[in-house]
Amino acid sequence: MNFYAHSTPRSDKGDWQPLSEHLANVASLAAEHGLAFGAQELASVSGLLHDLGKYSDDFQRRIAGDAIRVDHATRGAMVAVERYKLVGMLLAYGIAGHHAGLANGNEGGERNALFERLKGVCLPPLKDDWRREIALPEQVNPPKLIPHKDRGMFQFAFFARMLFSCLVDADYLDTEAFYDRIALPGQPNHRSASRALETPSLHALRERLDTYLSGFAADSDVNRVRADILAHTRQAAEHAPGLFSLTVPTGGGKTLASLAFALDHAIKYGLRRVVFVIPFTSIVEQNAAVFRSAFGDLGEAAVLEHHSAFVAAPLARSDAERYQAREKLRLAMENWDAPIIVTTAVQFFESLFAARPSQCRKLHNIAGSVVILDEAQTLPLKLLRPAVAAIDELARNYRSSIVLCTATQPALNAPDFRGGFDKEQVRELAPNPPELFCKLDRVRVRHVGTLDDDALTAQLRDLHQVLCIVNNRRHARALYQALADQPGARHLTTLMCAKHRSQVLAEVRVRLKAGEPCRLVSTSLIEAGVDISLPTVYRAEAGLDSVAQAAGRCNRNGERAAELSEVRVFAPANSDWAPPQELRQFAQAAQEVMRQPQFRGDPLSPSAIEAYFRLLYWQKGDKELDAANLLGLCAGSRIDSLPMETLAAKFRMIDTVQMPVIVPFDDDARQSIEGLRHAEKSGGLARKLQPYLVQLPRNGFDALRNAGAVQPVAPERWGEQFMELVNMDIYSREFGIWWDTPSFMETANTIF
């Protein structure tokens, strides 16, 4: 009897994929994926076993069209455990979960626990043909992990997830390649036509970057400091892979310096790609544009943005295996197979703890990479210890170099921060950070007391060029409306799509360069990485790290004396404008530091920042820095009871589910939306549409959906994966999406 993995409409089965071929292909690809962290043998075995349950009469009937359900994943997991004991158990998590996702080993979670599945109840009998067609090794070696004294089971859970990544990505790729060969005969065996495009090498990208950087002149004090930082950072690329920090004041050129370091370091040590992890969705587009510009003609092919996933609702399943496979491929996430990845902290860290195949398939491509954690101080307090553990594990066992890149280093290697890095682990790339802060001292910071909106608006009206940053959208909107009659009044919010925000910033830069009036009101989205410089900045009370970021938009290039450039921190009088609850502890710590006499003159000095983070991090208990007790759950488990699904469920950097809405802002957006109505695959169009997304919390999204203002694009093809704003009457050139209903007003009162 012949056994098949995937079918086509041909009744003679002449072009069906033999099961042994699929298993061999997936094993080979999975081994390639595992090579970066020395797991090629185990990854290969997982590939050989993942579809073992297809060696059954029931599955072969199903693939031929019978409408029956067949569990084809559990048999391979059972064989793994029978043959390889505890090492096989690490394989079993991924094999059993390669469709539905990783389950807990023993109990808890929505999925059936692995322990229950391994009992093999109600599984169809396995044909002995598999023993003839599949050559399994007699034994496999356990993972060679550098141990951490407090994180043994966490390390095994991390390793199991990495193996899972190797398997599911290999399975996606070979399945995709098979169906592409059917549609496009003559394509290579292991790669689909859509993945056949060559990406530029890191050497070629470095050449383009060198050319780009050669155009910068050290023609001012600030530019000379930036040049020194760049040169010193690049020299440090010779250091062996591991953990690094890059502590540079805002406006010191750390973005390009970190990129140059990453390319030099990757080339020196044979690392594969550079992953930039950025705290906010709002600036991923901007940073990606900077990198593309730096790489010139290679930019488009080199840089992959992955900042907001289009969430796909399950579609109705066909009774034919080929349609199920195609739906699986349509809903697949990117696997980060590109030289330069630009993503968000939410996407990066939640993937490192994820259980779903679509989220995990990219993880093996983080191994053997340089990871730049931009604005590292924004890691959420409630998940700080597990996030640090994940960073440490990537550097410890997965050949990754991690750069903690920030203007306000949170000192995660401080001796009295339990759960941080060992002090000797983290090497500083910048030349003498305290001296840099003196050289790049361009502003004065002072607290100006409590201001109601009338007083604040009056002060903003009196200034020719000024930026005001507040803590929520409704406050920004109210201030802008009060200033809208003034020349150069502009407004920024993430209720605008990225393309819209880019246009507003371009207008602001033109006005600033021409010396024209400019009064810009923004939420905190402007603070991280936006290259803009005004003489005066107002900042509603927030954390000291946020104040430092606001200061980076003031006199950024040293255009005027520091004494003439001021950041004015104020307390909003209206309680509605207070920081959201989760940010109040940051604001309170900043207030306490700014009240201390030794810091009043320079609350952004390294010693002031150290005092601030001492209040935030070092005096917190373990429970406050791991609110979900993720490390405790791991510590209390065994190899056969790892809490894989629970880890994914509890590691949530943003508690509110964000729903992406596509705004048909211009002709390019409308053309891409129209393309979705006819496309067979969504990947390229989805990436083109990312600059046109607005992320809404679920309640605001539901309010728009219920009113018919948001509707799915081609639901018969994509379900509710792509949701379009069809009522552009509620999209304002001043405010972005805005609809005055209670549900939406609640959505609007957020920090961005």
Side-chain angles (χ1 to χ4, degrees):
M1 177 178 176
N2 294 322
F3 294 87
Y4 298 97
H6 301 115
S7 61
T8 75
R10 282 182 56 172
S11 59
D12 66 359
K13 305 182 182 179
D15 60 355
W16 289 25
Q17 185 180 33
L19 179 53
S20 59
E21 175 189 288
H22 176 61
L23 296 180
N25 288 350
V26 173
S28 176
L29 282 168
E32 288 180 28
H33 296 338
L35 184 62
F37 56 101
Q40 57 269 40
E41 179 187 43
L42 293 176
S44 175
V45 171
S46 70
L48 290 174
L49 289 175
H50 80 288
D51 274 356
L52 200 66
K54 292 184 178 181
Y55 281 102
S56 69
D57 289 336
D58 284 1
F59 185 84
Q60 295 304 310
R61 286 171 49 213
R62 172 182 171 78
I63 201 175
D66 284 6
I68 56 175
R69 295 178 64 86
V70 182
D71 175 353
H72 68 267
T74 301
R75 281 293 185 190
M78 293 171 64
V79 169
V81 175
E82 290 166 4
R83 287 209 170 203
Y84 307 124
K85 311 308 179 197
L86 287 179
V87 178
M89 182 63 70
L90 289 176
L91 299 177
Y93 286 98
I95 294 169
H98 76 271
H99 283 295
L102 295 169
N104 288 342
N106 195 3
E107 59 186 16
E110 296 182 1
R111 302 180 183 92
N112 288 337
L114 183 61
F115 172 79
E116 292 296 329
R117 291 184 62 177
L118 291 177
K119 294 178 181 178
V121 177
C122 298
L123 292 180
L126 207 59
K127 295 292 186 179
D128 281 340
D129 300 66
W130 76 268
R131 301 180 187 275
R132 184 182 68 255
E133 296 188 359
I134 304 301
L136 289 172
E138 287 299 318
Q139 61 182 23
V140 293
N141 296 312
K144 297 178 181 179
L145 301 177
I146 300 172
H148 186 287
K149 60 184 177 64
D150 297 325
R151 300 185 190 137
M153 287 300 115
F154 175 85
Q155 291 183 286
F156 283 123
F158 202 96
F159 184 80
R161 196 178 298 105
M162 278 290 194
L163 280 180
F164 180 58
S165 170
C166 296
L167 171 61
V168 294
D169 193 34
D171 189 24
Y172 274 125
L173 290 175
D174 187 65
T175 303
E176 183 181 34
F178 169 72
Y179 283 108
D180 276 351
R181 287 199 307 278
I182 300 303
L184 300 167
Q187 293 298 329
N189 192 35
H190 290 329
R191 296 289 187 270
S192 71
S194 64
R195 299 182 185 274
L197 296 176
E198 291 293 328
T199 55
S201 69
L202 296 183
H203 286 85
L205 293 177
R206 183 169 66 176
E207 289 178 7
R208 295 298 195 280
L209 179 63
D210 287 343
T211 301
Y212 180 77
L213 293 174
S214 68
F216 288 92
D219 54 1
S220 69
D221 290 343
V222 169
N223 283 339
R224 280 187 283 276
V225 173
R226 289 170 177 163
D228 289 344
I229 292 169
L230 175 63
H232 191 278
T233 301
R234 297 193 76 164
Q235 289 172 5
E238 296 290 320
H239 292 321
L243 287 162
F244 301 93
S245 58
L246 180 59
T247 310
V248 174
T250 53
K254 64 179 180 293
T255 298
L256 288 175
S258 62
L259 175 61
F261 164 84
L263 288 176
D264 290 346
H265 185 70
I267 290 169
K268 169 75 176 176
Y269 290 101
L271 305 182
R272 303 181 295 167
R273 62 183 45 81
V274 179
V275 182
F276 271 86
V277 182
I278 296 173
F280 307 124
T281 301
S282 57
I283 59 171
V284 168
E285 166 90 3
Q286 171 191 293
N287 281 39
V290 169
F291 299 150
R292 290 193 184 100
S293 177
F295 295 138
D297 60 321
L298 300 181
E300 285 298 324
V303 180
L304 172 68
E305 297 170 48
H306 190 188
H307 50 94
S308 52
F310 289 98
V311 179
L315 299 180
R317 290 176 176 263
S318 166
D319 60 352
E321 173 74 9
R322 59 185 178 275
Y323 293 120
Q324 293 182 20
R326 282 196 175 278
E327 293 305 332
K328 178 177 72 171
L329 296 171
R330 283 176 177 167
L331 306 183
M333 299 288 292
E334 290 291 342
N335 67 350
W336 288 10
D337 189 9
I340 309 292
I341 308 296
V342 187
T343 190
T344 62
V346 172
Q347 181 70 244
F348 180 80
F349 282 103
E350 289 192 359
S351 294
L352 288 174
F353 288 84
R356 291 192 292 118
S358 58
Q359 280 184 290
C360 289
R361 63 177 292 201
K362 66 176 93 61
L363 296 183
H364 68 88
N365 274 328
I366 301 175
S369 299
V370 184
V371 179
I372 309 294
L373 288 175
D374 195 24
E375 310 302 345
Q377 80 282 352
T378 60
L379 291 173
L381 291 181
K382 65 180 181 177
L383 296 170
L384 189 60
R385 291 187 65 230
V388 167
I391 295 168
D392 178 74
E393 192 63 15
L394 285 172
R396 182 181 294 264
N397 288 307
Y398 296 89
R399 290 187 63 244
S400 294
S401 282
I402 314 294
V403 182
L404 305 171
C405 187
T406 176
T408 51
Q409 197 61 251
L412 296 177
N413 58 333
D416 48 353
F417 168 47
R418 186 174 181 272
F421 304 118
D422 296 335
K423 189 171 184 179
E424 64 275 7
Q425 277 185 283
V426 183
R427 290 155 289 174
E428 178 59 54
L429 299 176
N432 195 344
E435 185 177 318
L436 285 181
F437 278 80
C438 292
K439 289 181 178 180
L440 291 174
D441 179 19
R442 291 153 292 170
V443 303
R444 296 292 174 262
V445 178
R446 66 185 178 98
H447 200 295
V448 295
T450 300
L451 297 176
D452 62 25
D453 282 0
D454 289 340
L456 177 58
T457 302
Q459 293 187 28
L460 298 178
R461 285 173 174 267
D462 285 342
L463 294 167
H464 185 66
Q465 294 182 337
V466 62
L467 166 64
C468 181
I469 305 172
V470 295
N471 288 317
N472 65 61
R473 293 163 170 164
R474 289 197 296 123
H475 194 190
R477 182 176 191 250
L479 284 177
Y480 170 76
Q481 287 176 313
L483 292 168
D485 62 334
Q486 295 295 297
R490 295 292 187 274
H491 174 229
L492 281 177
T493 169
T494 52
L495 290 175
M496 300 170 172
C497 65
K499 190 77 168 184
H500 187 179
R501 294 194 302 269
S502 296
Q503 289 184 5
V504 173
L505 284 168
E507 295 170 4
V508 167
R509 291 187 181 105
V510 168
R511 298 189 71 87
L512 292 173
K513 186 175 181 179
E516 297 174 354
C518 181
R519 297 170 177 89
L520 177 61
V521 179
S522 177
T523 56
S524 60
L525 71 89
I526 201 170
E527 289 179 343
V530 176
D531 188 0
I532 194 169
S533 180
L534 293 99
T536 307
V537 173
Y538 280 72
R539 182 55 170 101
E541 284 185 338
L544 208 56
D545 51 327
S546 294
V547 174
Q549 291 299 322
R553 310 320 124 193
C554 183
N555 196 25
R556 185 176 180 84
N557 300 309
E559 300 95 334
R560 56 192 64 82
E563 292 73 17
L564 302 177
S565 307
E566 196 167 51
V567 176
R568 301 172 183 174
V569 180
F570 67 96
N574 187 333
S575 60
D576 290 347
W577 308 146
Q581 182 60 43
E582 65 270 20
L583 295 187
R584 286 179 188 169
Q585 58 185 321
F586 293 86
Q588 289 165 358
Q591 292 167 33
E592 185 171 336
V593 170
M594 293 180 74
R595 282 195 296 265
Q596 296 179 29
Q598 67 269 36
F599 302 134
R600 284 178 186 165
D602 189 5
L604 302 185
S605 66
S607 58
I609 296 297
E610 179 179 319
Y612 168 71
F613 280 113
R614 181 178 294 277
L615 287 170
L616 277 179
Y617 290 179
W618 306 345
Q619 295 179 2
K620 296 289 182 185
D622 288 353
K623 291 183 178 180
E624 292 177 278
L625 299 176
D626 184 5
N629 191 32
L630 300 183
L631 297 183
L633 288 171
C634 289
S637 66
R638 306 180 307 275
I639 294 291
D640 61 355
S641 63
L642 296 174
M644 305 300 289
E645 184 183 3
T646 300
L647 290 174
K650 288 181 175 292
F651 192 96
R652 286 287 179 266
M653 292 182 70
I654 298 177
D655 295 328
T656 304
V657 175
Q658 299 287 304
M659 303 298 294
V661 174
I662 306 168
V663 178
F665 183 73
D666 57 22
D667 288 342
D668 287 344
R670 288 186 284 271
Q671 183 177 352
S672 294
I673 292 169
E674 187 60 29
L676 283 174
R677 305 187 196 282
H678 311 288
E680 280 297 313
K681 294 185 179 181
S682 64
L685 289 169
R687 286 192 291 275
K688 288 182 179 179
L689 285 167
Q690 283 184 337
Y692 300 99
L693 295 184
V694 172
Q695 297 279 354
L696 295 178
R698 186 83 213 199
N699 56 350
F701 173 86
D702 288 344
L704 295 181
R705 180 70 197 277
N706 292 337
V710 169
Q711 295 180 14
V713 178
E716 73 286 352
R717 185 178 296 269
W718 309 112
E720 296 194 353
Q721 188 176 1
F722 301 99
M723 302 299 292
E724 176 191 4
L725 181 68
V726 296
N727 181 3
M728 284 298 285
D729 289 341
I730 63 171
Y731 191 92
S732 163
R733 287 281 171 171
E734 296 174 309
F735 309 120
I737 294 180
W738 197 270
W739 191 30
D740 286 322
T741 67
S743 294
F744 196 79
M745 290 295 283
E746 183 180 350
T747 294
N749 192 24
T750 64
I751 59 173
F752 302 130

